[in-house]
Amino acid sequence: MQDEDLAVMMRALGHPVRLSILKIVAKSQQSCCCADVTQCLPLAQSTVSQHIKVLLEAGLIERRSEGTKNCYVVVAPKMQKLESAFGSLTRGLIS
Amino acid sequence: MQDEDLAVMMRALGHPVRLSILKIVAKSQQSCCCADVTQCLPLAQSTVSQHIKVLLEAGLIERRSEGTKNCYVVVAPKMQKLESAFGSLTRGLIS
DNA sequence: AGCATTCATCGTTAAATAACGATATAATCT
DNA sequence: AGATTATATCGTTATTTAACGATGAATGCT
């Protein structure tokens, strides 16, 4: 994986609100929409939507529209790739 | 590990220049100072020093003064803690 | 068709970040 | 003591980010 792509994902994870959003999305077994996330956080809907966009653009979550809602899921393969890239980074750094 | 701390480290890793700096510091077996890093990058010394500060504050590298130079090393235990925190994060997200 | 719901996007503002050159500090050397 | 070296910090500028309220577009309901 390219350093730039890795950096984009790291940056996406580099904000506590986005970590929270990821956890909320992951935890809710059935479809999790923007309103669901917003309800869990002390932030405006538009702010949450913006954070979601960052996660989307990093490829860490995916949108799928469901009626009038937009639901989000964590992209497991991407997370795994990230973890492995991160692993080889750290291995390279500390060996 | 607290979400905020995790986010600080992720953010520190969320810039390609800082990834480069970490790699440069890790690769150079003997003491690696700011000038050494700067020589490897198309950036001003002050800019490199600023990036180094971000890595220092995240606890990912450590300074140790050596004569008139300041040398840097990757803090292996911190990297390992980060990797394990990251691992449990992703495990929580994709399970 | 008209209304309600959901949510992305727009426009704005304040704060943080990235980059630079210039300067100041601290250690070494002559 | 004075000169040199290495580098952190300062001051600045431009860009990006975070947060908000308001608006608009798409979908579903009556």
Side-chain angles (χ1 to χ4, degrees):
Chain A
M1 185 184 308
Q2 216 62 27
D3 266 11
E4 182 56 49
D5 302 325
L6 187 56
V8 165
M9 289 189 237
M10 291 298 195
R11 204 160 41 233
L13 293 174
H15 192 295
V17 166
R18 287 194 288 269
L19 289 178
S20 300
I21 292 176
L22 275 178
K23 287 178 188 173
I24 291 165
V25 168
K27 193 169 49 182
S28 92
Q29 297 302 36
Q30 64 271 42
S31 42
C32 179
C33 66
C34 182
D36 297 331
V37 176
T38 303
Q39 226 169 10
C40 300
L41 296 171
L43 292 171
Q45 175 268 322
S46 58
T47 304
V48 172
S49 188
Q50 230 173 284
H51 281 297
I52 285 176
K53 191 181 188 183
V54 174
L55 292 170
L56 277 172
E57 285 175 348
L60 298 177
I61 62 175
E62 237 172 24
R63 182 172 14 229
R64 125 183 89 87
S65 94
E66 209 167 271
T68 165
K69 299 181 178 180
N70 282 349
C71 298
Y72 297 96
V73 283
V74 175
V75 179
K78 195 79 174 230
M79 287 299 305
Q80 283 166 338
K81 264 182 215 161
L82 174 56
E83 187 172 10
S84 105
F86 183 73
S88 52
L89 173 70
T90 55
R91 242 172 291 121
L93 291 179
I94 72 185
S95 68
Chain B
M1 183 184 311
Q2 217 61 27
D3 266 12
E4 181 58 47
D5 303 324
L6 187 56
V8 166
M9 290 190 238
M10 292 296 196
R11 204 161 41 233
L13 293 174
H15 193 296
V17 166
R18 287 193 289 268
L19 290 179
S20 300
I21 292 177
L22 276 178
K23 288 179 189 173
I24 292 166
V25 168
K27 193 169 49 180
S28 91
Q29 297 303 36
Q30 64 273 42
S31 43
C32 179
C33 65
C34 181
D36 297 331
V37 176
T38 303
Q39 225 170 11
C40 300
L41 296 170
L43 292 171
Q45 175 268 322
S46 58
T47 303
V48 172
S49 187
Q50 230 173 283
H51 281 297
I52 285 177
K53 191 180 188 183
V54 173
L55 292 170
L56 276 172
E57 285 174 348
L60 298 176
I61 62 175
E62 236 173 24
R63 181 170 20 225
R64 126 183 87 87
S65 94
E66 207 167 272
T68 165
K69 297 181 179 180
N70 282 348
C71 298
Y72 298 96
V73 283
V74 175
V75 179
K78 195 77 174 230
M79 287 299 307
Q80 283 166 338
K81 264 183 214 159
L82 174 56
E83 187 172 9
S84 106
F86 184 73
S88 52
L89 173 70
T90 56
R91 242 172 291 120
L93 292 179
I94 71 184
S95 68

